[in-house]
Amino acid sequence: MNRNQFHIVFFGIVMLGAVLRVWGLDTHSLWSDELSSWHRSHYDNIAAVLERAKEDVHPPGYYIVSFWVQQLMGDSEFALRFPSLVFGVVSIGLLMMLGIRLYSYREGLIAGLFIAVFWFPINYSQEARPYSALLMFSLLSMYLWWKILKAHREDEKCSIWT
């Protein structure tokens, strides 16, 4: 597979995952945990969001992102679930990059295809909860940690994107 074909397949897998995550994003009503996310992020300012987040077991980062999305897009079901959608789509690309880094292009693309079409990651990308953010930041930290270890082992300067 040449470089152009790889980029087309990579982009196609990410787009497939994005379409599956957008499909039906606002067809279901918000359920109790999603309403809790709305309640913890629906205030007039960030200070109030942070104060309310102290009562929750989840870190406040998701609620801050949700607060800003609500400021820009309103508080529709689509807008409340949009941050999870973005985190989920980014996770597809990150898993492919990690798979390529650890194994090969083939395994990276297969892993990306799996996360793009499996029900569980799609479901969490369609909920107004921080679970897809957890997946994305876990993959990002694994990718960056691998880059740091490789650069240290080879005694090189660490660049994030190469």
Side-chain angles (χ1 to χ4, degrees):
M1 178 181 301
N2 67 31
R3 189 177 184 97
N4 287 336
Q5 289 172 330
F6 167 76
H7 288 318
I8 290 170
V9 172
F10 186 96
F11 182 72
I13 291 171
V14 171
M15 290 308 298
L16 172 65
V19 167
L20 291 174
R21 282 155 176 76
V22 170
W23 188 276
L25 188 67
D26 59 352
T27 57
H28 301 290
S29 297
L30 297 173
W31 62 290
S32 63
D33 284 357
E34 291 179 307
L35 290 171
S36 172
S37 292
W38 172 82
H39 183 67
R40 294 184 193 288
S41 61
H42 190 75
Y43 289 98
D44 294 330
N45 55 48
I46 291 290
V49 172
L50 289 171
E51 187 63 33
R52 181 69 176 164
K54 289 179 185 178
E55 301 169 10
D56 195 20
V57 296
H58 301 291
Y62 184 83
Y63 303 125
I64 293 169
V65 171
S66 185
F67 169 81
W68 287 113
V69 169
Q70 288 179 53
Q71 297 298 312
L72 295 172
M73 299 173 65
D75 62 354
S76 67
E77 289 153 343
F78 182 87
L80 289 172
R81 294 174 177 151
F82 185 75
S84 294
L85 170 99
V86 172
F87 290 134
V89 171
V90 172
S91 295
I92 298 167
L94 282 172
L95 183 62
M96 284 192 285
M97 290 170 49
L98 183 64
I100 290 165
R101 188 66 62 193
L102 294 176
Y103 299 105
S104 73
Y105 287 99
R106 184 175 144 196
E107 281 81 6
L109 292 175
I110 290 169
L113 183 60
F114 283 165
I115 199 172
V117 300
F118 282 173
W119 173 83
F120 201 67
I122 292 172
N123 184 52
Y124 280 134
S125 295
Q126 292 183 335
E127 286 188 1
R129 297 298 290 156
Y131 308 128
S132 61
L134 173 65
L135 174 63
M136 187 202 77
F137 284 113
S138 298
L139 289 169
L140 180 62
S141 66
M142 288 173 20
Y143 179 80
L144 294 175
W145 184 244
W146 182 255
K147 295 277 295 173
I148 291 168
L149 287 176
K150 185 177 178 196
H152 179 69
R153 184 177 45 206
E154 296 172 1
D155 203 22
E156 296 177 353
K157 190 175 184 181
C158 184
S159 171
I160 294 174
W161 305 113
T162 59

